[in-house]
Amino acid sequence: YTKKKTPVVESMLHRLYGPLLWRALSSSNARVRIQASFVLVDTFPLRDPDAGREATEVCVKKSMAALASLLEDDIPSVRVAGATAASKILSSFWVAIPSKDIQSLLNLIITKHASDATSSNVRASAVVAMQTLLEEEKTHAVLRPLLPSLGNLIHDKTDKVRLAVVKLLLHVKKIRGMKYYHVVPAHHLLVRLEDEGNRGNPTGPVSVALTDLLSNSFFPLSNTKKKVVTMTDIINRTLRLLTDNPGAALVFYRNASSKLSVASISKLIASLMKCLVMFIEEEKEQCLEKFCSDDNNTSTPLLDVVPEEDSKRLKHTNASLFKEANNVALMATIAE
């Protein structure tokens, strides 16, 4: 099949599969239709190289009709095979396939397959198909406005579908000009991360994949916009996560060991402990000032546990985050 673009091989494939493939694609046996979809991908476009342009257009049209039939098949496994075949063919021959046919196939995958209530495998196949299509750069302009319609599948009841969505987001994250949080908003990702913990599977594949997706947001390891990321910046992001969604923070840092180096985690734990000590001492001072009747009494100075410059910046930025004892207790749990 790798040599199918060679005229001699292409002609041979047409002679061998031409009489069989189209009948197999409409066979009454589901397994035959599935196997035929694999052959369609390998041989597309199944044409006679000497027959001319019109014959090639007829073959392409026939193939598109076969793909549409597979996508609307009554058997879920056949629909999954159809989505796989359609995405591979579209990705490889995006410029050669008429835009009307592309629109028709994408509509079936995104509109019908992604909302298929009868089969989680079909829903997952719709997400995987989009990831396959994104491997072709020419598809990005068309898919960019369509991907958010798949965003709600991040909360699907089936693990396989949720994991497929997170893998799609990881792929989108690598694409220049596309943002994963435009597909699924950030607060939905945090809610999903928290819910994975509530389901009793905080270290499951979905939780780990989400941690990988969000790791650079809460623990950046590289320079951002030519600005060196300091530990103070990382602590600020940690405190913000603790404030916005404590449950998601617990799951995120529970899986951090699989994504971060031992040195990075050690620095984070040490910094969190320094922050705890600093704010505990601050709380002691406030208690002394509140209950001490002697106006001339001087409070105990803050322990020198954080560098002076970082201490001032942390206190100025995050003091309000430690008003509630729950945040302090949660930080202690993470550090432990």
Side-chain angles (χ1 to χ4, degrees):
Y1 297 124
T2 58
K3 302 290 185 180
K4 68 179 180 179
K5 292 184 179 180
T6 306
V8 176
V9 176
E10 191 173 21
S11 179
M12 180 191 67
L13 290 174
H14 180 263
R15 292 196 308 270
L16 291 175
Y17 286 113
L20 304 174
L21 180 59
W22 309 115
R23 282 186 297 174
L25 285 167
S26 58
S27 170
S28 59
N29 190 307
R31 289 186 178 181
V32 174
R33 297 199 297 276
I34 292 173
Q35 292 299 321
S37 72
F38 300 154
V39 176
L40 180 61
V41 173
D42 292 332
T43 60
F44 182 89
L46 187 60
R47 68 187 182 105
D48 183 356
D50 300 323
R53 181 175 179 180
E54 290 184 1
T56 300
E57 291 177 353
V58 171
C59 289
V60 171
K61 187 175 181 180
K62 206 171 181 179
S63 298
M64 294 301 106
L67 288 174
S69 178
L70 291 171
L71 289 170
E72 296 183 289
D73 200 277
D74 293 333
I75 308 299
S77 58
V78 179
R79 296 201 294 276
V80 171
T84 302
S87 62
K88 288 181 177 180
I89 290 175
L90 289 179
S91 179
S92 300
F93 298 91
W94 184 264
V95 252
I97 297 174
S99 58
K100 185 178 179 180
D101 292 325
I102 293 176
Q103 182 180 358
S104 176
L105 294 178
L106 288 180
N107 184 61
L108 287 172
I109 294 173
I110 294 177
T111 304
K112 291 189 175 182
H113 280 212
S115 58
D116 193 321
T118 63
S119 173
S120 61
N121 288 334
V122 175
R123 296 195 300 276
S125 72
V127 180
V128 174
M130 291 301 104
Q131 183 174 339
T132 301
L133 286 169
L134 286 172
E135 293 175 0
E136 170 54 54
E137 188 177 355
K138 294 181 178 66
T139 66
H140 296 174
V142 174
L143 295 181
R144 185 179 290 108
L146 300 178
L147 290 178
S149 61
L150 300 175
N152 287 335
L153 291 178
I154 192 69
H155 301 300
D156 194 274
K157 62 182 180 181
T158 307
D159 290 354
K160 179 187 295 185
V161 180
R162 298 198 302 275
L163 182 59
V165 174
V166 180
K167 288 183 177 179
L168 172 64
L169 296 178
L170 285 167
H171 188 81
V172 170
K173 186 178 180 181
K174 300 175 183 177
I175 299 175
R176 185 175 182 180
M178 297 182 72
K179 306 295 182 183
Y180 69 87
Y181 46 80
H182 291 163
V183 180
V184 179
H187 67 277
H188 278 271
L189 295 174
L190 292 178
V191 169
R192 168 51 40 213
L193 194 59
E194 179 184 21
D195 188 63
E196 292 297 325
N198 294 336
R199 288 169 178 262
N201 195 20
T203 57
V206 179
S207 301
V208 173
L210 279 169
T211 301
D212 188 16
L213 179 68
L214 298 171
S215 60
N216 199 49
S217 297
F218 298 110
F219 205 103
L221 299 179
S222 59
N223 295 347
T224 304
K225 296 180 180 179
K226 298 182 180 180
K227 179 183 177 182
V228 177
V229 179
T230 65
M231 184 53 67
T232 301
D233 296 326
I234 294 175
I235 290 296
N236 286 337
R237 298 185 187 209
T238 300
L239 300 183
R240 179 52 56 196
L241 177 58
L242 291 172
T243 304
D244 292 343
N245 197 319
L250 279 175
V251 179
F252 177 83
Y253 288 107
R254 188 167 185 174
N255 291 289
S257 61
S258 63
K259 301 299 174 185
L260 302 175
S261 66
V262 175
S264 298
I265 295 175
S266 300
K267 288 180 181 179
L268 177 61
I269 293 175
S271 299
L272 288 175
M273 291 303 297
K274 289 178 180 180
C275 288
L276 280 174
V277 174
M278 182 178 70
F279 284 106
I280 289 172
E281 289 299 320
E282 186 179 67
E283 188 69 22
K284 287 181 180 180
E285 290 182 358
Q286 292 176 357
C287 290
L288 286 174
E289 291 175 359
K290 182 177 180 180
F291 294 105
C292 186
S293 58
D294 187 3
D295 293 336
N296 296 325
N297 184 33
T298 58
S299 59
T300 306
L302 195 64
L303 288 180
D304 186 20
V305 294
V306 177
E308 184 177 356
E309 182 180 352
D310 284 352
S311 175
K312 290 179 180 178
R313 289 160 64 187
L314 282 170
K315 289 174 69 175
H316 176 72
T317 306
N318 296 301
S320 61
L321 298 178
F322 284 84
K323 295 294 183 182
E324 300 179 6
N326 289 338
N327 284 340
V328 177
L330 189 56
M331 285 188 67
T333 303
I334 294 175
E336 183 181 356

